[in-house]
Amino acid sequence: MASLSVETAKLIDMLPIEEQRFAYEFVKKLVLAWDPDFTKVTPEEAKKLQKAEDSGFILDNDIDWDQIGT
């Protein structure tokens, strides 16, 4: 977890439970407004995805073996 996320969690943890719930709902709305269908990736995730795509490695579970050769 990023250090900013840890610090934010520590701050929220200091609040009374009702304010914690409010902060949670606020952060949830913020994230959903930024990425409503959870398809965006962070720069770090983008690097990992690119590295995986460039490797040429494919898991056998990702192959539809019934469709090969048809």
Side-chain angles (χ1 to χ4, degrees):
M1 187 181 312
S3 61
L4 184 58
S5 300
V6 172
E7 289 302 313
T8 303
K10 287 178 183 177
L11 288 171
I12 291 173
D13 197 42
M14 290 191 294
L15 296 170
I17 191 67
E18 284 304 313
E19 281 74 13
Q20 288 180 26
R21 287 188 183 112
F22 174 80
Y24 168 78
E25 290 300 325
F26 177 78
V27 170
K28 187 167 95 173
K29 286 181 182 183
L30 185 66
V31 169
L32 289 173
W34 175 71
D35 187 9
D37 53 1
F38 296 101
T39 57
K40 292 183 182 177
V41 294
T42 66
E44 182 178 325
E45 290 170 328
K47 287 178 189 175
K48 288 179 181 178
L49 285 171
Q50 189 61 51
K51 182 179 177 183
E53 288 175 3
D54 293 343
S55 75
F57 181 77
I58 300 172
L59 294 173
D60 64 338
N61 291 340
D62 293 338
I63 300 171
D64 186 353
W65 295 101
D66 294 329
Q67 297 298 318
I68 296 215
T70 57

